[in-house]
Amino acid sequence: MKETLRYLAGMAGPSGFGSNSTAEQVTEDCSCFLPSALTALITGASSGIGAETARVLAKRGVKVVIGARDLKKAMEVKKNIQKESPKAEIVLLEIDLSSFGSVQRFCSEFLALELPLNILINNAGIFSQNLEFSEDKIETTFATNYLGHFLLTEILLDKMIETAEKTGIQGRIINVSSVIHSWVKKDCFRFNHIISGKKYNGTRAYAQSKLANILHAKEIANQLTARNARVTINAVHPGIVKTGIIRAHKGLLTDSLFFLASKLLKTTSQGAATTCYVALSPKTEGISGKYFADCNESKCSSLANDELEAQKLWNNTHALLHKRLRQATI
């Protein structure tokens, strides 16, 4: 109840920011602390929260690589950013996160650019009311929101560690999750059932993918600590923003709820605030394996905090990818 009141009132938390804070506000004082020549890679930055994240990071002098499925839309984002910030450096690369092959091609293209990689923002996400499968024959929501980002992080992690070692600047990975992760119960979180779309429900599938994003952050944080790597990883809840994902819930009921709950919805800039805060703030230096909401460290579900569950998910995911990628080369 206390957290709900804090949210509605837009009260600031320990960070000095709250639910009403915008991406520009939370990064306004970061510029004087930021080292020059930072490079950030953002998936799904051709619209919504991702596009706003790209705009604000570019405004703060960060070179931004946008990974997008629709390069035409991404080009429009690039033009708008450079209209506001003429010196902004924006690189566009095509990626379909539901496809393992596309993720591999994207990583090869990115690595060929020989850019440093300081910040990786796993932002892209979809919601589908209907059961669909990726080209790898995996349920599409889970493939896009979690598996694609898992593979992307896996391939680029050494590059991030290498960049941190060379520059002395701590690398940061941000997984964009959602408070809806807390709807998932342990007995419903079964890896083989999820990837096969068994008893599919769109909302549940989305929630499961967002839970997986947090568990991924928990496990990778532990692995990075074990490697003594200067890279952190955290998960964030952007808030409820009327983006393309929310608009996928079409119908009278949804529109009515939007009308009644309009005061609860965040603007796109407010939705991008937590991601930008965790990516750039000196206050998040050294923090890893945590969950943030409204620009403050927050509590996630007990299942999302389960380190054994996180390790089990990593093992299952690693085994699946190893098997599928090996099959693709035969």
Side-chain angles (χ1 to χ4, degrees):
M1 184 64 178
K2 194 181 290 184
E3 286 186 7
T4 303
L5 290 173
R6 182 184 290 276
Y7 175 86
L8 291 170
M11 292 169 62
S15 69
F17 303 108
S19 61
N20 288 346
S21 301
T22 67
E24 285 201 28
Q25 288 170 344
V26 304
T27 58
E28 197 168 7
D29 295 329
C30 293
S31 299
C32 55
F33 296 105
L34 290 180
S36 58
L38 285 181
T39 300
L41 194 167
I42 310 170
T43 65
S46 58
S47 63
I49 294 169
E52 176 65 3
T53 301
R55 182 188 75 82
V56 173
L57 263 58
K59 188 171 185 174
R60 302 305 176 213
V62 178
K63 178 182 284 187
V64 175
V65 179
I66 294 176
R69 191 169 43 179
D70 187 335
L71 287 182
K72 189 176 179 182
K73 284 173 70 178
M75 181 58 76
E76 285 302 308
V77 171
K78 178 179 179 177
K79 285 178 182 176
N80 290 335
I81 291 173
Q82 292 182 327
K83 195 180 292 181
E84 179 187 4
S85 306
K87 293 182 179 179
E89 294 183 73
I90 311 291
V91 177
L92 307 180
L93 293 174
E94 186 176 9
I95 185 171
D96 176 357
L97 282 151
S98 73
S99 162
F100 298 151
S102 178
V103 174
Q104 288 179 304
R105 285 191 295 276
F106 171 89
C107 290
S108 294
E109 289 173 12
F110 173 77
L111 293 171
L113 296 174
E114 297 186 346
L115 292 171
L117 183 55
N118 308 96
I119 302 165
L120 171 60
I121 300 176
N122 292 320
N123 167 80
I126 63 165
F127 169 88
S128 178
Q129 289 181 327
N130 302 314
L131 174 60
E132 297 173 3
F133 290 95
S134 69
E135 66 180 42
D136 300 298
K137 297 181 174 58
I138 294 169
E139 189 280 307
T140 304
T141 301
F142 200 69
T144 303
N145 297 358
Y146 167 65
L147 292 174
H149 284 126
F150 181 104
L151 180 58
L152 180 72
T153 304
E154 195 80 356
I155 297 173
L156 297 181
L157 196 56
D158 283 344
K159 181 66 176 180
M160 292 199 74
I161 294 171
E162 176 192 304
T163 299
E165 287 176 350
K166 283 183 177 179
T167 63
I169 302 166
Q170 188 176 73
R172 301 185 186 191
I173 304 169
I174 295 100
N175 284 356
V176 178
S177 181
S178 170
V179 71
I180 202 175
H181 79 272
S182 61
W183 294 8
V184 183
K185 304 304 176 190
K186 191 167 186 174
D187 58 355
C188 293
F189 195 66
R190 299 180 181 178
F191 190 78
N192 289 332
H193 288 186
I194 295 170
I195 62 174
S196 65
K198 188 172 183 179
K199 296 181 180 178
Y200 185 80
N201 172 279
T203 301
R204 182 173 59 217
Y206 183 74
Q208 288 168 332
S209 71
K210 295 290 118 179
L211 171 61
N213 290 147
I214 301 175
L215 291 170
H216 177 228
K218 296 279 182 187
E219 175 58 22
I220 297 300
N222 287 337
Q223 292 184 15
L224 288 167
T225 299
R227 293 175 68 174
N228 201 27
R230 289 204 64 198
V231 177
T232 62
I233 179 169
N234 293 287
V236 303
H237 165 52
I240 309 301
V241 185
K242 196 172 182 180
T243 61
I245 286 177
I246 299 298
R247 285 192 293 272
H249 296 73
K250 290 178 181 175
L252 180 61
L253 178 62
T254 304
D255 292 338
S256 300
L257 285 173
F258 274 139
F259 178 77
L260 293 170
S262 60
K263 296 293 183 186
L264 299 176
L265 297 174
K266 286 189 175 187
T267 65
T268 304
S269 190
Q270 289 170 339
T274 305
T275 299
C276 291
Y277 173 77
V278 176
L280 297 184
S281 175
K283 293 178 182 177
T284 58
E285 177 85 13
I287 297 174
S288 195
K290 302 300 181 183
Y291 173 73
F292 287 78
D294 299 329
C295 303
N296 287 277
E297 200 174 313
S298 187
K299 292 180 181 177
C300 54
S301 71
S302 58
L303 183 55
N305 254 329
D306 190 329
E307 293 197 359
L308 289 177
E309 196 68 38
Q311 194 173 56
K312 178 179 163 187
L313 176 64
W314 190 91
N315 288 337
N316 283 333
T317 305
H318 191 266
L320 172 72
L321 288 171
H322 180 74
K323 180 181 178 183
R324 294 298 176 90
L325 295 177
R326 196 174 69 175
Q327 287 174 343
T329 59
I330 294 174

